[in-house]
Short mmCIF file of all heavy atoms in Angstrom, two decimals:
data_model
loop_
_atom_site.label_atom_id
_atom_site.label_comp_id
_atom_site.label_asym_id
_atom_site.label_seq_id
_atom_site.Cartn_x
_atom_site.Cartn_y
_atom_site.Cartn_z
N ALA V 208 23.57 11.91 13.51
CA ALA V 208 22.86 13.12 13.06
C ALA V 208 23.75 14.35 13.20
O ALA V 208 23.83 15.19 12.29
CB ALA V 208 21.57 13.29 13.87
N GLY V 209 24.43 14.47 14.33
CA GLY V 209 25.28 15.64 14.54
C GLY V 209 26.45 15.69 13.59
O GLY V 209 26.89 16.79 13.18
N SER V 210 26.98 14.54 13.21
CA SER V 210 28.13 14.51 12.31
C SER V 210 27.76 14.96 10.90
O SER V 210 28.54 15.64 10.22
CB SER V 210 28.73 13.10 12.28
OG SER V 210 29.26 12.76 13.54
N VAL V 211 26.57 14.58 10.43
CA VAL V 211 26.13 15.04 9.11
C VAL V 211 25.92 16.55 9.13
O VAL V 211 26.28 17.27 8.19
CB VAL V 211 24.87 14.29 8.66
CG1 VAL V 211 24.42 14.79 7.28
CG2 VAL V 211 25.12 12.79 8.60
N ILE V 212 25.35 17.06 10.23
CA ILE V 212 25.22 18.51 10.38
C ILE V 212 26.59 19.18 10.33
O ILE V 212 26.79 20.19 9.65
CB ILE V 212 24.52 18.86 11.71
CG1 ILE V 212 23.05 18.45 11.69
CG2 ILE V 212 24.62 20.37 11.99
CD1 ILE V 212 22.33 18.67 13.00
N GLU V 213 27.55 18.61 11.05
CA GLU V 213 28.90 19.20 11.13
C GLU V 213 29.54 19.31 9.75
O GLU V 213 30.08 20.37 9.38
CB GLU V 213 29.76 18.35 12.06
CG GLU V 213 31.21 18.79 12.17
CD GLU V 213 31.40 20.05 12.99
OE1 GLU V 213 30.39 20.67 13.39
OE2 GLU V 213 32.56 20.45 13.19
N VAL V 214 29.51 18.24 8.97
CA VAL V 214 30.11 18.28 7.64
C VAL V 214 29.36 19.27 6.75
O VAL V 214 29.97 20.08 6.04
CB VAL V 214 30.11 16.88 7.00
CG1 VAL V 214 30.64 16.95 5.57
CG2 VAL V 214 30.98 15.92 7.82
N ALA V 215 28.02 19.22 6.78
CA ALA V 215 27.21 20.09 5.93
C ALA V 215 27.46 21.56 6.27
O ALA V 215 27.56 22.42 5.37
CB ALA V 215 25.73 19.75 6.08
N GLU V 216 27.57 21.86 7.54
CA GLU V 216 27.80 23.25 7.95
C GLU V 216 29.18 23.74 7.49
O GLU V 216 29.31 24.87 7.01
CB GLU V 216 27.68 23.37 9.46
CG GLU V 216 27.72 24.80 9.97
CD GLU V 216 27.47 24.89 11.46
OE1 GLU V 216 27.79 23.93 12.19
OE2 GLU V 216 26.93 25.93 11.90
N LYS V 217 30.20 22.88 7.61
CA LYS V 217 31.54 23.28 7.17
C LYS V 217 31.58 23.52 5.66
O LYS V 217 32.25 24.42 5.18
CB LYS V 217 32.55 22.21 7.56
CG LYS V 217 32.85 22.17 9.05
CD LYS V 217 33.66 23.40 9.47
CE LYS V 217 34.00 23.36 10.96
NZ LYS V 217 32.81 23.63 11.81
N VAL V 218 30.86 22.70 4.91
CA VAL V 218 30.82 22.90 3.45
C VAL V 218 30.06 24.18 3.13
O VAL V 218 30.47 24.97 2.27
CB VAL V 218 30.18 21.67 2.76
CG1 VAL V 218 29.96 21.95 1.28
CG2 VAL V 218 31.06 20.44 2.94
N ALA V 219 28.93 24.39 3.81
CA ALA V 219 28.14 25.60 3.56
C ALA V 219 28.92 26.86 3.90
O ALA V 219 28.79 27.90 3.23
CB ALA V 219 26.85 25.55 4.37
N GLU V 220 29.76 26.81 4.92
CA GLU V 220 30.56 27.96 5.33
C GLU V 220 31.74 28.21 4.39
O GLU V 220 32.39 29.25 4.48
CB GLU V 220 31.08 27.75 6.75
CG GLU V 220 30.00 27.80 7.81
CD GLU V 220 30.51 27.40 9.19
OE1 GLU V 220 31.55 26.69 9.24
OE2 GLU V 220 29.89 27.77 10.19
N GLY V 221 32.04 27.23 3.53
CA GLY V 221 33.18 27.37 2.64
C GLY V 221 34.48 26.90 3.24
O GLY V 221 35.55 27.07 2.64
N LYS V 222 34.44 26.30 4.41
CA LYS V 222 35.66 25.78 5.05
C LYS V 222 36.06 24.43 4.47
O LYS V 222 37.20 24.00 4.64
CB LYS V 222 35.46 25.69 6.55
CG LYS V 222 35.24 27.05 7.21
CD LYS V 222 34.94 26.92 8.69
CE LYS V 222 34.71 28.31 9.30
NZ LYS V 222 34.38 28.20 10.75
N LEU V 223 35.11 23.75 3.85
CA LEU V 223 35.38 22.52 3.11
C LEU V 223 34.72 22.64 1.74
O LEU V 223 33.71 23.32 1.59
CB LEU V 223 34.80 21.30 3.84
CG LEU V 223 35.41 20.90 5.19
CD1 LEU V 223 34.57 19.79 5.82
CD2 LEU V 223 36.86 20.45 5.03
N ASP V 224 35.27 21.93 0.77
CA ASP V 224 34.62 21.87 -0.54
C ASP V 224 33.51 20.83 -0.55
O ASP V 224 32.47 21.00 -1.17
CB ASP V 224 35.65 21.50 -1.62
CG ASP V 224 36.73 22.55 -1.74
OD1 ASP V 224 36.41 23.65 -2.24
OD2 ASP V 224 37.86 22.29 -1.32
N SER V 225 33.78 19.72 0.14
CA SER V 225 32.82 18.62 0.18
C SER V 225 33.18 17.75 1.38
O SER V 225 34.18 18.00 2.06
CB SER V 225 32.86 17.80 -1.12
OG SER V 225 34.17 17.31 -1.36
N GLY V 226 32.38 16.73 1.62
CA GLY V 226 32.68 15.88 2.76
C GLY V 226 31.87 14.61 2.75
O GLY V 226 30.89 14.47 2.02
N PHE V 227 32.32 13.65 3.56
CA PHE V 227 31.67 12.35 3.67
C PHE V 227 31.55 12.03 5.16
O PHE V 227 32.56 11.93 5.87
CB PHE V 227 32.50 11.28 2.97
CG PHE V 227 31.76 9.98 2.70
CD1 PHE V 227 32.00 9.27 1.53
CD2 PHE V 227 30.85 9.45 3.60
CE1 PHE V 227 31.34 8.08 1.26
CE2 PHE V 227 30.18 8.26 3.34
CZ PHE V 227 30.44 7.57 2.17
N ALA V 228 30.32 11.88 5.62
CA ALA V 228 30.05 11.49 7.01
C ALA V 228 29.87 9.97 7.05
O ALA V 228 28.86 9.45 6.56
CB ALA V 228 28.81 12.20 7.54
N ILE V 229 30.84 9.29 7.61
CA ILE V 229 30.81 7.82 7.68
C ILE V 229 30.09 7.46 8.97
O ILE V 229 30.71 7.30 10.02
CB ILE V 229 32.23 7.25 7.64
CG1 ILE V 229 32.99 7.80 6.43
CG2 ILE V 229 32.21 5.72 7.59
CD1 ILE V 229 34.48 7.57 6.48
N VAL V 230 28.78 7.40 8.89
CA VAL V 230 27.96 7.32 10.10
C VAL V 230 27.03 6.11 10.09
O VAL V 230 26.71 5.56 9.04
CB VAL V 230 27.12 8.60 10.28
CG1 VAL V 230 28.01 9.82 10.44
CG2 VAL V 230 26.16 8.80 9.09
N ARG V 231 26.62 5.74 11.24
CA ARG V 231 25.56 4.78 11.48
C ARG V 231 25.02 5.03 12.88
O ARG V 231 25.77 5.52 13.73
CB ARG V 231 26.04 3.33 11.30
CG ARG V 231 27.15 2.91 12.24
CD ARG V 231 27.52 1.45 12.04
NE ARG V 231 26.46 0.54 12.39
CZ ARG V 231 26.23 0.09 13.62
NH1 ARG V 231 26.99 0.49 14.64
NH2 ARG V 231 25.26 -0.76 13.87
N PRO V 232 23.75 4.74 13.14
CA PRO V 232 22.79 4.12 12.24
C PRO V 232 22.42 5.03 11.06
O PRO V 232 22.56 6.25 11.17
CB PRO V 232 21.58 3.86 13.14
CG PRO V 232 21.70 4.86 14.24
CD PRO V 232 23.17 5.02 14.48
N PRO V 233 21.98 4.40 9.95
CA PRO V 233 21.55 5.19 8.80
C PRO V 233 20.28 5.97 9.13
O PRO V 233 19.77 5.89 10.25
CB PRO V 233 21.31 4.14 7.72
CG PRO V 233 21.01 2.89 8.48
CD PRO V 233 21.82 2.96 9.73
N GLY V 234 19.76 6.73 8.15
CA GLY V 234 18.67 7.62 8.51
C GLY V 234 17.48 7.76 7.59
O GLY V 234 16.42 8.20 8.01
N HIS V 235 17.61 7.41 6.29
CA HIS V 235 16.60 7.89 5.34
C HIS V 235 15.22 7.25 5.47
O HIS V 235 14.26 7.75 4.90
CB HIS V 235 17.12 7.78 3.90
CG HIS V 235 17.24 6.37 3.39
ND1 HIS V 235 17.11 6.06 2.05
CD2 HIS V 235 17.49 5.19 4.03
CE1 HIS V 235 17.28 4.76 1.89
NE2 HIS V 235 17.52 4.22 3.07
N HIS V 236 15.10 6.14 6.20
CA HIS V 236 13.77 5.55 6.43
C HIS V 236 13.06 6.17 7.63
O HIS V 236 11.83 6.05 7.74
CB HIS V 236 13.89 4.05 6.66
CG HIS V 236 14.30 3.26 5.46
ND1 HIS V 236 13.66 3.38 4.24
CD2 HIS V 236 15.29 2.35 5.27
CE1 HIS V 236 14.24 2.57 3.37
NE2 HIS V 236 15.23 1.95 3.97
N ALA V 237 13.80 6.78 8.55
CA ALA V 237 13.19 7.33 9.76
C ALA V 237 12.21 8.44 9.41
O ALA V 237 12.54 9.38 8.70
CB ALA V 237 14.27 7.85 10.71
N GLU V 238 11.00 8.32 9.92
CA GLU V 238 9.97 9.30 9.64
C GLU V 238 9.83 10.27 10.81
O GLU V 238 10.53 10.16 11.82
CB GLU V 238 8.66 8.59 9.31
CG GLU V 238 8.78 7.71 8.08
CD GLU V 238 7.46 7.18 7.56
OE1 GLU V 238 6.44 7.30 8.28
OE2 GLU V 238 7.44 6.63 6.43
N GLU V 239 8.92 11.19 10.69
CA GLU V 239 8.78 12.25 11.70
C GLU V 239 8.59 11.68 13.11
O GLU V 239 9.18 12.18 14.06
CB GLU V 239 7.60 13.15 11.34
CG GLU V 239 7.37 14.27 12.33
CD GLU V 239 6.13 15.08 12.02
OE1 GLU V 239 5.27 14.59 11.28
OE2 GLU V 239 6.01 16.21 12.55
N ALA V 240 7.80 10.63 13.22
CA ALA V 240 7.47 10.10 14.54
C ALA V 240 7.73 8.61 14.64
O ALA V 240 7.17 7.95 15.52
CB ALA V 240 6.00 10.41 14.87
N GLU V 241 8.57 8.07 13.78
CA GLU V 241 8.74 6.61 13.78
C GLU V 241 10.11 6.21 13.23
O GLU V 241 10.43 6.51 12.08
CB GLU V 241 7.65 5.97 12.92
CG GLU V 241 7.74 4.46 12.85
CD GLU V 241 6.67 3.85 11.96
OE1 GLU V 241 5.89 4.63 11.37
OE2 GLU V 241 6.63 2.62 11.84
N PRO V 242 10.91 5.52 14.05
CA PRO V 242 12.12 4.89 13.50
C PRO V 242 11.73 3.66 12.70
O PRO V 242 10.74 2.99 13.02
CB PRO V 242 12.91 4.51 14.76
CG PRO V 242 11.86 4.26 15.79
CD PRO V 242 10.74 5.22 15.49
N MET V 243 12.47 3.36 11.66
CA MET V 243 12.18 2.16 10.88
C MET V 243 13.36 1.86 9.95
O MET V 243 14.21 2.71 9.71
CB MET V 243 10.89 2.29 10.06
CG MET V 243 10.91 3.36 8.99
SD MET V 243 9.38 3.43 8.03
CE MET V 243 9.52 1.92 7.06
N GLY V 244 13.39 0.62 9.46
CA GLY V 244 14.38 0.25 8.46
C GLY V 244 15.81 0.48 8.88
O GLY V 244 16.62 1.00 8.11
N PHE V 245 16.16 0.12 10.12
CA PHE V 245 17.50 0.30 10.69
C PHE V 245 17.81 1.75 11.04
O PHE V 245 18.90 2.05 11.51
CB PHE V 245 18.62 -0.20 9.76
CG PHE V 245 18.48 -1.63 9.28
CD1 PHE V 245 19.23 -2.06 8.20
CD2 PHE V 245 17.62 -2.54 9.88
CE1 PHE V 245 19.13 -3.37 7.73
CE2 PHE V 245 17.52 -3.85 9.43
CZ PHE V 245 18.27 -4.26 8.34
N CYS V 246 16.89 2.69 10.79
CA CYS V 246 17.15 4.12 10.92
C CYS V 246 16.46 4.68 12.17
O CYS V 246 15.26 4.46 12.38
CB CYS V 246 16.64 4.87 9.69
SG CYS V 246 17.35 4.29 8.13
N LEU V 247 17.21 5.44 12.97
CA LEU V 247 16.66 6.02 14.20
C LEU V 247 16.32 7.50 14.01
O LEU V 247 15.19 7.90 14.24
CB LEU V 247 17.65 5.82 15.34
CG LEU V 247 18.04 4.36 15.63
CD1 LEU V 247 18.89 4.27 16.89
CD2 LEU V 247 16.82 3.46 15.74
N TYR V 248 17.28 8.31 13.62
CA TYR V 248 17.02 9.70 13.24
C TYR V 248 17.34 9.87 11.76
O TYR V 248 18.21 9.20 11.22
CB TYR V 248 17.91 10.67 14.03
CG TYR V 248 17.61 10.77 15.51
CD1 TYR V 248 18.65 10.75 16.44
CD2 TYR V 248 16.30 10.88 15.98
CE1 TYR V 248 18.39 10.85 17.81
CE2 TYR V 248 16.04 10.97 17.33
CZ TYR V 248 17.08 10.95 18.25
OH TYR V 248 16.82 11.04 19.59
N ASN V 249 16.62 10.79 11.11
CA ASN V 249 16.85 11.00 9.68
C ASN V 249 17.99 12.01 9.50
O ASN V 249 17.77 13.22 9.46
CB ASN V 249 15.58 11.49 8.99
CG ASN V 249 15.66 11.36 7.49
OD1 ASN V 249 16.66 11.71 6.88
ND2 ASN V 249 14.62 10.82 6.87
N ASN V 250 19.20 11.50 9.43
CA ASN V 250 20.40 12.33 9.45
C ASN V 250 20.42 13.38 8.34
O ASN V 250 20.73 14.55 8.57
CB ASN V 250 21.64 11.44 9.35
CG ASN V 250 21.63 10.33 10.38
OD1 ASN V 250 21.28 10.53 11.53
ND2 ASN V 250 22.02 9.13 9.96
N VAL V 251 20.13 12.96 7.12
CA VAL V 251 20.18 13.87 5.97
C VAL V 251 19.09 14.93 6.08
O VAL V 251 19.34 16.12 5.81
CB VAL V 251 20.06 13.08 4.66
CG1 VAL V 251 19.70 13.99 3.49
CG2 VAL V 251 21.36 12.34 4.37
N ALA V 252 17.90 14.54 6.47
CA ALA V 252 16.81 15.51 6.59
C ALA V 252 17.10 16.54 7.68
O ALA V 252 16.79 17.73 7.53
CB ALA V 252 15.50 14.78 6.89
N ILE V 253 17.70 16.09 8.77
CA ILE V 253 18.04 17.01 9.86
C ILE V 253 19.05 18.05 9.39
O ILE V 253 18.89 19.25 9.61
CB ILE V 253 18.59 16.23 11.07
CG1 ILE V 253 17.48 15.36 11.70
CG2 ILE V 253 19.16 17.17 12.12
CD1 ILE V 253 17.99 14.31 12.66
#
Side-chain angles (χ1 to χ4, degrees):
S210 295
V211 179
I212 291 176
E213 176 74 355
V214 176
E216 187 175 30
K217 287 289 181 288
V218 172
E220 291 172 338
K222 296 176 181 178
L223 293 173
D224 297 290
S225 57
F227 195 143
I229 307 166
V230 298
R231 60 178 295 275
H235 70 151
H236 291 308
E238 298 190 348
E239 180 185 18
E241 180 182 1
M243 64 178 288
F245 306 164
C246 303
L247 302 187
Y248 292 135
N249 196 314
N250 308 318
V251 164
I253 293 166

